[in-house]
Amino acid sequence: MRILSRLSPSTQEEIDSYMYQTVGQDAIEVVAAAMDLPLIRRVIHGIAVDQGSEYGNRKSLNSVAGDETEDLFELLSEVKRDQGELLGEMLDAKLDAVLIKVAGIGLTPQHLGKHLSEMRATLMKLNRLYGAHICGEGGEYETMTLDCSLFKSKIVLSEVEVVTHSDSAFGSVAFLSIKKATLEPKELHERGCAVPPFLSHKATSIQSAVTEPSGSAKRYSTLALSKSPARTSLRSRKLGRWVSVAGIQCESRIETDESIEDEVQSCFDTMKHELERYSLSLQHVSHINIHISSMDLFPRINAIYGTQFGTSPPSRACVGVNLPEPCRVRMDCIAFAEEYAHERQALHVQGISYWAPANIGPYSQAITVGGQVFISGQIGLIPSKMQLPSPRSMALESALSLQHVDRIVSALQANAGGGWPGIFQCAVIWVARLDLLNAARQAWVAYKPEMRTRRPVIFVTCKSIPKDAFCEAQVLVHTGRMVMKDEETGETEEVVIGERRNEGASLRDPLMLKWQTIRTGNVFFCLVTIAGDGGLDATSDMMLRSLFGEAMLVRVFGVESYWGSELRTIDIVPDVSLMDALRDVPTALVPCRAVNTEDADYLCALLVHGVCDQVGLP
């Protein structure tokens, strides 16, 4: 992946900086165009707060608030790659380099002159044991490239000498003094860049496990719904440092004929107003779900959406659903009140590569905050082309979308400095046609065979998916770590947390209700599936009342024919219907054609995202 990145002042004038030279920044777009490379820019907001000889505070690893150095850190966080994958890509592309200096733990003078391909296993091991940078970004080693696709001749090191600067049992400092080097011409067939396969072994297994649909099913009706339960109310809630807002839509359009641009802006104005009630802003938003009535509106919606955020925008999932007229856009969001800058990490890559798709909109691939990882909905684009496979294939699209999820998680783990275990929490797998449901189930089972029916996973048939994709994978993961604060000293410590699972069912005829919960730290997800109507038994009543009390956001996926009176005939407590019980909970209503789990079909499902008081430690 090649990109051009630049820090620029907020004005066109050169700034008086201790760190940056900004002259010529007004022509950087021309440079990017000349190189035909994507450009990532970040504004220099800080000044030289810390002017001492040593940057930072020895008492903590916290950043220096307002310092211009932090702007560079944020920029690098956006463009940084998973080093293990990057090293693999370089070797797959026939890059031949040797170590010419070592200065890190586990590396000795005997490693000098060794090729990166020979050192790969050692470097990966040092990363696991000591957190050493696989690509040497911490100064662990230096290399010299002897051959790559840009070279017309190979470099041959004919005579070298090992010079030891300092010898230590923990990490020697030594380098290779090059006495003589020659060139060896390359044959024409040896030139050029090798393209790595775009499917990993795991993704290939997923593709093989999926049976393509036999025919082409018609997409379902695009008529908007009019039944009142599909309408939603604006609600927000704060639990701990989390804030959710649901039912965000433009109410004024019921009486006026507003443009789609005005409608989207109205939604964001509503979102801002609700967040301000909790002293938060759009910059605190971690994830947004956006449902639109037609994918034809997608470019115009994106144009307004992109004006709301600067760098590191929230992750996002977008699908088309049948909304009640005249509503064309509906949103819900999750925000987090960070106390420290390092609590939020964004993966926001816009360069085209063989790794994973660049963003097709103003969002980040993933946001990690409070230990929670929000991953944007992933469709089966071929990363290097940013196109769907041709001819179309559900097997390939599902394999690619899940591979993208894996690679995003791997990149976040690598950026954390040695990795974190990662706990899969739940997933929503969207499909654009009913005949694709079985294929989506097959893909998921092949992707997570060890977790079959053990995690909240739901398959939802929607109206449409961006770029007319067959499927979209929306996955949530927890790092398995959580920052805990000592109330007396104010000091923070990162602790490892575990997971707890719970499931149950109520089979009181004619109503069938099942639930499945996973809790990591103080965050939980619960999938409640419903078939039939009627009242619940006492155990289920108690479970749902407790669940809704700790619910931050409830997403109600309902089959469109079910949005009538049926939802109001499910009594979770005597004379209190399901919809009435959700009256005080931020609730996102999602009309769909079908709601399914790995092993059954349902009329309605609730995916509950909640926060509880206690932290689950291992």
Side-chain angles (χ1 to χ4, degrees):
M1 179 180 67
R2 295 186 298 165
I3 59 175
L4 190 64
S5 56
R6 168 76 178 184
L7 281 170
S8 303
S10 58
T11 66
Q12 294 297 313
E13 299 179 359
E14 184 181 9
I15 61 173
D16 184 14
S17 168
Y18 276 68
M19 188 167 184
Y20 309 115
Q21 291 286 349
T22 59
V23 64
Q25 54 88 23
D26 45 357
I28 190 64
E29 289 88 355
V30 180
V31 176
M35 299 175 72
D36 192 23
L37 292 177
L39 173 63
I40 294 180
R41 300 187 69 166
R42 184 176 178 86
V43 175
I44 302 172
H45 295 290
I47 59 174
V49 175
D50 190 339
Q51 300 180 18
S53 58
E54 184 178 280
Y55 183 76
N57 188 335
R58 291 187 177 183
K59 294 182 179 180
S60 72
L61 295 176
N62 293 341
S63 58
V64 180
D67 194 279
E68 57 189 0
T69 306
E70 301 303 323
D71 295 310
L72 177 60
F73 179 81
E74 294 296 330
L75 178 65
L76 294 175
S77 298
E78 291 185 34
V79 301
K80 190 175 181 180
R81 286 286 309 281
D82 170 32
Q83 295 187 26
E85 289 186 1
L86 183 59
L87 179 60
E89 280 190 19
M90 290 190 290
L91 296 178
D92 290 340
K94 309 299 183 185
L95 183 142
D96 183 19
V98 296
L99 271 64
I100 59 172
K101 183 179 180 180
V102 292
I105 188 169
L107 295 176
T108 69
Q110 284 71 36
H111 291 124
L112 293 172
K114 297 249 180 219
H115 296 262
L116 276 180
S117 56
E118 300 176 87
M119 293 295 299
R120 185 178 187 178
T122 299
L123 296 173
M124 299 289 283
K125 180 179 180 180
L126 294 176
N127 172 258
R128 290 193 301 271
L129 292 175
Y130 310 115
H133 295 79
I134 297 172
C135 291
E137 291 187 4
E140 293 88 344
Y141 66 90
E142 304 293 338
T143 62
M144 178 178 179
T145 300
L146 304 182
D147 188 24
C148 70
S149 60
L150 297 176
F151 285 20
K152 295 182 179 180
S153 297
K154 300 177 183 178
I155 298 174
V156 179
L157 301 182
S158 307
E159 184 181 346
V160 297
E161 178 186 353
V162 175
V163 179
T164 301
H165 187 271
S166 62
D167 200 2
S168 169
F170 299 101
S172 300
V173 178
F175 65 90
L176 207 61
S177 176
I178 301 170
K179 302 297 183 180
K180 183 179 179 180
T182 59
L183 294 180
E184 181 182 302
K186 295 166 62 175
E187 299 293 337
L188 287 176
H189 70 272
E190 295 181 282
R191 302 178 188 177
C193 180
V195 177
F198 65 87
L199 281 186
S200 65
H201 175 73
K202 181 178 180 180
T204 301
S205 300
I206 296 173
Q207 183 185 20
S208 301
V210 174
T211 303
E212 294 286 353
S214 57
S216 58
K218 292 182 179 180
R219 296 179 183 275
Y220 65 102
S221 172
T222 58
L223 294 176
L225 301 180
S226 58
K227 295 181 179 179
S228 59
R231 299 194 182 279
T232 187
S233 300
L234 178 67
R235 303 186 191 111
S236 61
R237 173 180 276 189
K238 182 177 182 181
L239 293 174
R241 289 195 283 160
W242 295 97
V243 171
S244 63
V245 186
I248 305 170
Q249 63 185 46
C250 179
E251 297 293 344
S252 63
R253 194 173 175 268
I254 296 176
E255 289 81 23
T256 62
D257 187 18
E258 291 183 302
S259 68
I260 185 62
E261 289 81 4
D262 290 338
E263 190 171 345
V264 175
Q265 185 59 58
S266 175
C267 288
F268 276 107
D269 289 343
T270 300
M271 187 184 299
K272 290 177 188 176
H273 176 74
E274 285 299 305
L275 291 171
E276 286 171 356
R277 293 178 53 196
Y278 308 98
S279 301
L280 299 182
S281 66
L282 289 181
Q283 283 63 52
H284 293 93
V285 176
S286 306
H287 180 81
I288 294 178
N289 293 309
I290 177 169
H291 302 134
I292 62 180
S293 61
S294 171
M295 279 298 158
D296 293 338
L297 301 171
F298 189 63
R300 295 171 63 187
I301 291 172
N302 261 344
I304 302 301
Y305 192 107
T307 64
Q308 310 299 315
F309 304 99
T311 57
S312 304
S315 58
R316 185 180 81 177
C318 176
V319 294
V321 301
N322 277 341
L323 295 174
E325 291 183 345
C327 179
R328 294 175 292 185
V329 181
R330 182 184 285 172
M331 301 182 192
D332 59 81
C333 73
I334 299 285
F336 185 77
E338 309 107 68
E339 294 181 356
Y340 312 98
H342 64 268
E343 283 189 286
R344 179 183 174 111
Q345 180 186 8
L347 185 66
H348 186 218
V349 180
Q350 295 174 291
I352 295 177
S353 70
Y354 297 108
W355 168 70
N359 301 322
I360 60 172
Y363 58 88
S364 296
Q365 276 94 344
I367 294 291
T368 304
V369 63
Q372 183 67 53
V373 182
F374 297 92
I375 302 173
S376 289
Q378 297 297 310
I379 62 176
L381 293 173
I382 299 173
S384 60
K385 299 179 180 179
M386 290 300 291
Q387 297 174 355
L388 293 168
S390 181
R392 298 297 298 277
S393 166
M394 176 60 180
L396 183 52
E397 284 191 36
S398 57
L400 281 168
S401 64
L402 294 172
Q403 175 176 268
H404 300 336
V405 171
D406 269 359
R407 290 183 172 178
I408 288 170
V409 172
S410 295
L412 289 168
Q413 289 173 322
N415 286 346
W420 32 258
I423 299 172
F424 167 76
Q425 295 171 298
C426 69
V428 179
I429 307 298
W430 303 90
V431 295
R433 298 198 318 245
L434 276 173
D435 66 329
L436 299 174
L437 270 172
N438 188 54
R441 284 167 160 164
Q442 292 172 338
W444 185 261
V445 171
Y447 175 62
K448 292 286 186 184
E450 74 284 2
M451 294 184 181
R452 187 173 185 182
T453 70
R454 297 178 61 200
R455 294 290 193 278
V457 179
I458 184 174
F459 302 85
V460 180
T461 306
C462 60
K463 180 178 177 180
S464 55
I465 297 173
K467 288 191 173 288
D468 200 30
F470 283 161
C471 61
E472 178 175 337
Q474 185 180 359
V475 178
L476 288 109
V477 176
H478 200 282
T479 63
R481 295 178 177 176
M482 186 174 181
V483 176
M484 303 289 288
K485 184 176 181 180
D486 189 307
E487 297 296 336
E488 295 182 1
T489 65
E491 296 182 355
T492 60
E493 178 186 8
E494 188 175 64
V495 298
V496 177
I497 60 175
E499 63 175 82
R500 296 180 183 177
R501 296 191 305 273
N502 178 41
E503 59 185 37
S506 171
L507 306 178
R508 185 174 179 179
D509 191 61
L511 177 68
M512 180 176 69
L513 182 144
K514 295 182 178 180
W515 64 86
Q516 193 174 42
T517 303
I518 180 170
R519 182 157 71 89
T520 45
N522 63 344
V523 175
F524 70 85
F525 288 88
C526 181
L527 177 62
V528 181
T529 49
I530 302 170
D533 55 21
L536 302 177
D537 57 37
T539 301
S540 301
D541 287 344
M542 184 178 300
M543 185 280 298
L544 284 179
R545 281 183 294 185
S546 174
L547 183 68
F548 294 157
E550 297 179 321
M552 180 169 59
L553 174 66
V554 177
R555 301 173 72 186
V556 181
F557 302 89
V559 175
E560 291 172 351
S561 60
Y562 199 64
W563 282 115
S565 60
E566 290 89 343
L567 281 177
R568 299 191 179 279
T569 60
I570 303 173
D571 295 335
I572 69 162
V573 293
D575 301 322
V576 179
S577 73
L578 173 64
M579 298 305 290
D580 290 336
L582 291 170
R583 183 171 295 167
D584 297 326
V585 182
T587 304
L589 304 182
V590 187
C592 46
R593 189 178 185 189
V595 180
N596 309 81
T597 61
E598 293 177 56
D599 54 3
D601 305 335
Y602 294 92
L603 293 173
C604 180
L606 282 65
L607 184 58
V608 183
H609 183 177
V611 177
C612 48
D613 294 331
Q614 296 181 342
V615 176
L617 300 175

